[in-house]
Amino acid sequence: MSVNLQKGQKISLDKEAGSTLTRITMGLGWDAIKTKGLFGFGGKTQSVDLDASCLLFDESGSPVDVVWFRQLKSKDGSIVHTGDNRTGAGDGDDEQILVDLTAVPANVKSLVFTVNSFTGQNFAQVENAYCRIINGADQKEVARFNLSVQGEHTAQIMAKLYRHGGEWKMHAIGENGSGRTFDELMPKITPHL
């Protein structure tokens, strides 16, 4: 059963999944903005380009690597982005980041997932926007964050996965921000490391 994440909530991914997680997927989905024409005819859709990113940090909070639309794979190969969706068209996840937790280098203490509106629309304008964590073994959703209710912000620090006591835990950060790419969120990410 999936957990609807609340800002600041901490969960054990293994506990929520019912087993030790070795692979996870961060899925991001949204719909293009639909506008109605005169008298309900001639409506149009406006493309929305949301971007999922995964930042890797070491014990001291220094960035080690980043996976995003301009670098689709971590240098070590443990994290892979499936590609940039620039419209929000289609059903299900529009972008995914696949993480092999067993292959994440030992010097990486935490993974931070962010979402940015590259085209500048705020989350209040974007329909059905969400991000979620999926168990890679059985494709069951473990946790979900509804972005569309987040208000007039163009970015969010979704969550941090971190090593603790031999397992991966998750902290739902849910902090809103502004910026077209993850690097504009760095000042807001640092306090969460």
Side-chain angles (χ1 to χ4, degrees):
M1 185 169 141
S2 177
V3 173
N4 281 319
L5 295 173
Q6 303 298 315
K7 182 177 180 175
Q9 183 178 0
K10 293 183 181 182
I11 64 171
S12 164
L13 289 177
D14 291 350
K15 183 178 174 186
E16 296 303 329
S19 64
T20 300
L21 286 178
T22 57
R23 293 180 182 273
I24 62 148
T25 301
M26 184 273 213
L28 169 63
W30 71 95
D31 291 332
I33 299 171
K34 295 175 182 78
T35 57
K36 294 182 179 173
L38 189 60
F39 303 113
F41 297 103
K44 297 178 183 177
T45 59
Q46 178 184 359
S47 293
V48 177
D49 183 5
L50 297 186
D51 291 318
S53 303
C54 178
L55 294 82
L56 293 72
F57 294 93
D58 65 15
E59 186 77 43
S60 67
S62 297
V64 174
D65 201 356
V66 64
V67 175
W68 63 313
F69 70 89
R70 290 189 180 146
Q71 179 182 316
L72 297 177
K73 186 186 279 191
S74 61
K75 293 170 190 152
D76 59 73
S78 65
I79 302 173
V80 177
H81 193 301
T82 59
D84 189 18
N85 180 320
R86 297 180 183 157
T87 64
D91 294 329
D93 296 341
D94 294 302
E95 293 188 12
Q96 290 186 328
I97 297 177
L98 314 172
V99 182
D100 181 350
L101 294 170
T102 64
V104 173
N107 69 314
V108 175
K109 170 75 173 172
S110 58
L111 309 173
V112 176
F113 293 95
T114 64
V115 177
N116 294 79
S117 175
F118 192 76
T119 44
Q121 294 96 342
N122 66 53
F123 292 135
Q125 296 172 296
V126 181
E127 294 186 35
N128 304 317
Y130 66 85
C131 44
R132 63 191 187 135
I133 301 291
I134 305 159
N135 181 343
D138 60 13
Q139 300 304 305
K140 289 186 179 168
E141 186 175 287
V142 177
R144 174 179 285 257
F145 218 120
N146 183 353
L147 295 172
S148 289
V149 299
Q150 296 300 317
E152 298 191 11
H153 306 281
T154 59
Q156 184 181 75
I157 305 165
M158 176 204 176
K160 174 179 79 169
L161 266 63
Y162 60 100
R163 297 180 201 260
H164 180 76
E167 72 171 303
W168 286 94
K169 295 196 178 267
M170 184 168 136
H171 176 202
I173 297 170
E175 185 167 337
N176 295 321
S178 297
R180 295 178 57 204
T181 61
F182 71 87
D183 51 339
E184 295 174 69
L185 290 174
M186 288 303 280
K188 287 190 168 218
I189 292 171
T190 306
H192 297 286
L193 301 174

